[in-house]
Amino acid sequence: MPDTTDRLALPYILADQAQKHVTHNEALVRLDALVHLTVFDRDRTEPPAEPAAGDRHIVAAGASGGWAGRGDTVAVWQDGAWMFLDPQPGWRAWCVAETALLLHDGESWVPATLGPEAIAGGALSRLGINTTADDHNRVAMKTSALLVSHDDVSGSGDGSILATFNKETAVKDAGLNFQSGWSTRALLGLYGDEDFRIKVSPDGAAFHDAMAIDRTTGRVSFPQNGSLGDLAAGRFGKADDASVAFTRTGHGTLELKAGTVVEVAGILHPFAAPTPVAMPTLTVGTDYAVYACSDGSVRADASPLAPTGYTTANSRKIGGFHYAAGGNATGYNTGGDGTAQINPHSLWDLRWRPACQDPRGMALVAGRFWCDIYLTGTNVDVDGSSRHGATIADGSSPPKVPAMFGGNGTTTYGSFTWFEAAELLACVGKRLPTYADYVVAAFGTSEAASRGNDPVTTGLGTTNTGSINPDRKFTSIWGIVQATGCLWTWGSDLAITSASGWSDSAEGRGQLSNPPCAQLLGGLWNLSAYAGSRAANWAFGPGFSASSVGARGQCDHVRGG
């Protein structure tokens, strides 16, 4: 029979042993040391200088002095000497210094449970919370809610919280799968490439791209409907559809109103605050387009295509204005002035504009219709029907026949009848004004007054000055220049009969029975007291032509749409 027990080496009391109490006490000492084993530490290589009875340590490797050669044993200070206990596989000890439970694995002492350092070092290969983790789902959880918050406990947090999903190569997947009954219905992330996608599925097998974001450009597309640029193409929105998108802030300054949203090159640009329009050096009598640019700026330019430094690919025309040689009339019978400035009634945008194709040289009258600022010129195909400094079309300076009606760029009408004026304005989407519209458009001009001589050109005395009154006196409150007292202009109304029977006054395009009289508006340059905003002459038929008769166009107002 051996002298000690197999596991703890407790000494047996032998049958013929003397002083049996010694053996018994030694066994008690060993039990006292080993049962509920607690050690102070396990990194000492020398014994402490003043140990207390019952102190226990795990001797570190390479120990010296009284502990030499005793590495890995449990050293117990007992009765003034060190007792060394050789650990066996499975022994457990609580280490006070490490606040950790240690386990002897037959070779060394190791943590009995995984601590933070061990887990951080990769010792934990699976984690299941309320369910079982496996080799594929190494972290598994069943819970009704999941809370992940920023670190406000350890002191190492910075107030942020980030989750990173890293995939091996571009063709792999990194994302979130949303399932119903363990069948995927939506995917969010990088799937099969490196563009961010949202996919949906009716059955977990077939997937449809609902949205994709190009990683190189940031462009958003909707594969089932088209790109964001396609969906937003042409988008132009305003906070107030009951007014134009611009505000005149000075004689030569302008701003885009807050709340405007413009699509440029497939990107929506919202303008949350009023945005000043960058202005070039302004020239009197010139029409300017206003552009929204892809860099977020808003610019005015005389070019009808793009502002200086930009192209049609990175800018978009959203409106315009006319920079007049003078100011508008301020009230009844005041006429205008000679201060160059933006005509506030000429402001237009894509949803507030003349119904004709070309909005240049027009002003909005009473919020109802648009009227040409200038008298009709002789080259409508090139200049449009309202241009500053153009030769005025009349019976002695007949206009060129527009291409729409067979013109070749050279041939003129040879006269300027009511028929020809109506035809000429029709080619640019306009019409002659009614008498009712004319008296409104001409309001504010100097009444019972005339210029004194033939104006010859449009504008404020661009080639000759009025011999009696300057042209600015005949500007209306809407900015209609040479509105009265300069030249009779054809009106659209046909009224009283000028003769009985048939008349060949339609220039060979049929005959008129009991032909009507056409309407002449505003008064001639030498009529003085007869001229004014309500002056009208009904004495001539529509086939009449003279150097004293010109024209002016108007069209409807387009709002919204």
Side-chain angles (χ1 to χ4, degrees):
M1 171 178 182
D3 294 341
T4 61
T5 61
D6 295 331
R7 294 184 60 254
L8 298 181
L10 302 178
Y12 286 121
I13 299 175
L14 302 178
D16 57 351
Q17 177 180 333
Q19 296 183 322
K20 292 181 171 58
H21 65 281
V22 174
T23 302
H24 177 68
N25 290 341
E26 181 182 351
L28 291 177
V29 168
R30 293 180 67 88
L31 286 174
D32 183 65
L34 291 175
V35 174
H36 299 303
L37 177 60
T38 299
V39 297
F40 286 132
D41 47 48
R42 58 170 175 153
D43 56 358
R44 286 181 175 274
T45 56
E46 292 182 356
E50 297 180 359
D55 284 358
R56 286 163 291 181
H57 305 268
I58 293 176
V59 180
S64 61
W67 285 3
R70 296 293 187 173
D72 204 41
T73 63
V74 178
V76 182
W77 183 255
Q78 184 68 40
D79 297 328
W82 289 103
M83 177 175 64
F84 298 98
L85 305 177
D86 293 318
Q88 302 297 313
W91 280 23
R92 291 172 177 81
W94 177 258
C95 180
V96 174
E98 298 179 23
T99 63
L101 182 65
L102 305 179
L103 172 72
H104 201 277
D105 63 3
E107 295 182 0
S108 63
W109 293 94
V110 297
T113 58
L114 295 179
E117 291 185 3
I119 293 175
L124 184 64
S125 61
R126 296 181 187 177
L127 176 62
I129 302 175
N130 206 31
T131 189
T132 302
D134 55 38
D135 285 341
H136 184 67
N137 298 295
R138 297 197 175 191
V139 177
M141 178 190 305
K142 280 189 176 181
T143 179
S144 297
L146 173 65
L147 172 64
V148 182
S149 179
H150 71 277
D151 183 1
D152 57 2
V153 177
S154 69
S156 63
D158 62 1
S160 299
I161 179 167
L162 302 172
T164 300
F165 296 79
N166 179 58
K167 61 181 183 176
E168 181 183 23
T169 61
V171 298
K172 300 294 185 178
D173 300 331
L176 301 175
N177 293 11
F178 298 89
Q179 297 187 334
S180 176
W182 301 110
S183 179
T184 301
R185 292 294 178 267
L187 302 174
L188 177 70
L190 311 179
Y191 288 89
D193 57 26
E194 295 180 337
D195 292 339
F196 186 82
R197 299 178 185 278
I198 296 178
K199 296 172 176 279
V200 293
S201 173
D203 54 12
F207 289 87
H208 308 289
D209 278 5
M211 185 183 78
I213 304 177
D214 189 300
R215 67 187 182 281
T216 59
T217 65
R219 294 286 180 88
V220 180
S221 64
F222 299 88
Q224 307 306 315
N225 304 95
S227 69
L228 181 59
D230 294 336
L231 297 176
R235 175 84 169 97
F236 178 79
K238 303 186 295 182
D240 178 18
D241 256 348
S243 65
V244 71
F246 308 103
T247 300
R248 194 186 86 157
T249 54
H251 286 164
T253 56
L254 204 64
E255 67 182 17
L256 181 66
K257 291 181 179 178
T260 305
V261 179
V262 186
E263 175 269 324
V264 182
I267 302 297
L268 285 177
H269 294 267
F271 296 89
T275 303
V277 177
M279 291 288 188
T281 300
L282 300 175
T283 303
V284 297
T286 303
D287 286 279
Y288 291 87
V290 177
Y291 297 89
C293 302
S294 58
D295 59 7
S297 63
V298 185
R299 301 176 177 275
D301 201 282
S303 168
L305 299 177
T308 301
Y310 295 80
T311 67
T312 55
N314 58 17
S315 66
R316 181 185 175 196
K317 186 191 300 185
I318 60 171
F321 61 90
H322 183 75
Y323 189 66
N328 300 352
T330 56
Y332 169 70
N333 198 28
T334 64
D337 59 39
T339 302
Q341 57 190 281
I342 296 171
N343 181 348
H345 300 288
S346 71
L347 299 174
W348 64 272
D349 65 43
L350 297 176
R351 296 167 61 88
W352 182 275
R353 55 166 294 153
C356 61
Q357 183 176 1
D358 187 352
R360 292 178 299 173
M362 302 196 79
L364 180 62
V365 175
R368 290 180 44 244
F369 62 89
W370 291 79
C371 183
D372 280 348
I373 292 172
Y374 301 106
L375 293 165
T376 305
T378 58
N379 196 353
V380 172
D381 274 353
V382 175
D383 299 334
S385 65
S386 180
R387 180 177 178 180
H388 181 271
T391 299
I392 298 171
D394 56 31
S396 61
S397 299
K400 293 179 180 179
V401 179
M404 180 181 290
F405 292 99
N408 58 10
T410 301
T411 304
T412 67
Y413 277 108
S415 60
F416 199 45
T417 66
W418 180 92
F419 298 109
E420 291 159 343
E423 187 174 277
L424 185 70
L425 291 171
C427 81
V428 289
K430 301 177 184 179
R431 61 181 180 272
L432 295 169
T434 65
Y435 181 59
D437 286 346
Y438 173 78
V439 298
V440 176
F443 180 83
T445 186
S446 296
E447 305 288 0
S450 61
R451 188 178 195 274
N453 58 340
D454 187 346
V456 182
T457 56
T458 61
L460 301 187
T462 55
T463 58
N464 68 315
T465 303
S467 58
I468 298 177
N469 291 302
D471 289 296
R472 64 177 180 269
K473 295 189 67 173
F474 305 106
T475 300
S476 75
I477 62 171
W478 320 106
I480 309 305
V481 177
Q482 297 171 321
T484 64
C486 294
L487 202 69
W488 287 115
T489 55
W490 288 114
S492 65
D493 300 336
L494 297 176
I496 59 175
T497 300
S498 62
S500 60
W502 288 96
S503 171
D504 187 13
S505 59
E507 302 177 320
R509 303 186 193 182
Q511 295 194 14
L512 301 177
S513 175
N514 300 317
C517 288
Q519 182 185 55
L520 295 173
L521 303 169
L524 190 58
W525 63 76
N526 60 2
L527 283 182
S528 297
Y530 295 99
S533 63
R534 297 179 181 177
N537 185 340
W538 300 83
F540 302 97
F544 175 71
S545 177
S547 62
S548 59
V549 180
R552 190 187 304 270
Q554 74 172 62
C555 69
D556 293 335
H557 175 45
V558 175
R559 171 180 162 183

